[in-house]
Amino acid sequence: MTVVFDPITPLVFLALALVLGTTVGRLPLRVFLRALLPFWLLAFSLMLSNALFATRPDQATVLWTWGPFTATLEGATIGLSLAERSVAIAAFTVLLIMTTDPTDLVRSLIQQAHLPARFAYPALAAYRFLPLLQTEFETIRLAHRLRGVGRSRGVLGWLREQSRLALPLLANAIRRAERVALAMDARGFSSRRPRTSFRLIPFVAADAWLIALTAIFGVGILWLSAALGILRVWSGALSA
């Protein structure tokens, strides 16, 4: 899907991700869409930039012109394809994150994909640090308010407050990362010797069915799009 440049095919993949998330993943549609909000904003910027900044506007169909900006139909089409494709990939990623236990995922990658433990477990630790950073950020902010360090008005006041909060937050994060690194080194995670696992994550038939169905649906959507004359692959240019 990363080389697909028509606006219809990525939209089908996005719809498939939403259907799987609300049915198989049992995620509320509102929660799913809210988790994709940052990616919607990124998608809008991709579509707008491609529509307004075409490489050859004189050879494209001009929709409207306002000052130095010229919106073209070809650029908008490519931008819409990039936007839908980025949201579709993000939707499948969010679906995996929200429906899979991260500890089991890391154990499975180590046992089945033979991912080195010295890379996998630090990634898991960093992933688990994110909620702690949010909690620490709120704690530091309330501590500042308790000591009478209030927030000034305006954008500059908000930036000054963020700079005051960032320093202790960064210091705590560095200390925690150092403690985790020492603990992992003490437990032999840096060793290249084969490691045993207390809890095994077997590769079962459901995993094989999931891989097979994913490949079948993905190839099927691309084949149907090509058969209908909709599929358009990358021609070497990112804009019209």
Side-chain angles (χ1 to χ4, degrees):
M1 193 173 62
T2 56
V3 296
V4 175
F5 267 71
D6 68 88
I8 305 299
T9 307
L11 187 61
V12 176
F13 278 99
L14 176 58
L16 178 62
L18 294 176
V19 170
L20 290 176
T22 54
T23 55
V24 180
R26 299 179 181 179
L27 298 174
L29 182 60
R30 181 178 300 179
V31 176
F32 201 2
L33 294 177
R34 188 182 304 168
L36 292 174
L37 180 59
F39 302 100
W40 292 113
L41 299 177
L42 175 62
F44 177 75
S45 66
L46 286 173
M47 183 176 64
L48 188 63
S49 61
N50 278 269
L52 296 180
F53 303 103
T55 55
R56 297 184 298 272
D58 54 329
Q59 302 178 10
T61 305
V62 178
L63 296 176
W64 51 265
T65 302
W66 182 67
F69 303 106
T70 301
T72 61
L73 177 61
E74 290 78 7
T77 302
I78 293 178
L80 182 61
S81 172
L82 289 172
E84 293 174 349
R85 190 177 65 189
S86 62
V87 176
I89 295 175
F92 282 107
T93 304
V94 170
L95 176 61
L96 174 66
I97 293 174
M98 299 182 69
T99 58
T100 306
D101 181 75
T103 305
D104 289 342
L105 177 61
V106 169
R107 287 170 176 164
S108 179
L109 290 175
I110 294 175
Q111 298 174 19
Q112 308 299 333
H114 302 288
L115 185 68
R118 58 195 180 101
F119 297 136
Y121 283 111
L124 176 62
Y127 178 81
R128 288 189 168 183
F129 276 165
L130 295 179
L132 295 177
L133 289 177
Q134 183 178 4
T135 303
E136 283 192 359
F137 180 84
E138 186 66 19
T139 302
I140 296 171
R141 188 184 66 85
L142 294 177
H144 282 196
R145 293 288 178 87
L146 184 62
R147 288 167 174 80
V149 183
R151 173 182 171 183
S152 304
R153 295 181 179 180
V155 179
L156 293 179
W158 182 83
L159 291 176
R160 281 194 293 267
E161 182 187 21
Q162 301 307 309
S163 63
R164 287 195 304 266
L165 299 176
L167 184 59
L169 185 66
L170 180 62
N172 289 338
I174 293 175
R175 283 196 294 266
R176 181 178 289 108
E178 185 178 4
R179 288 196 297 266
V180 172
L182 291 175
M184 294 182 65
D185 190 49
R187 287 165 175 79
F189 279 94
S190 59
S191 175
R192 298 183 180 274
R193 297 176 58 185
R195 299 181 59 88
T196 58
S197 300
F198 175 75
R199 181 179 177 184
L200 300 178
I201 306 294
F203 187 85
V204 296
D207 299 320
W209 276 108
L210 177 61
I211 296 174
L213 290 176
T214 301
I216 291 173
F217 273 102
V219 174
I221 292 174
L222 294 176
W223 177 84
L224 183 61
S225 178
L228 295 176
I230 299 174
L231 184 65
R232 177 185 174 190
V233 297
W234 187 37
S235 60
L238 294 178
S239 61

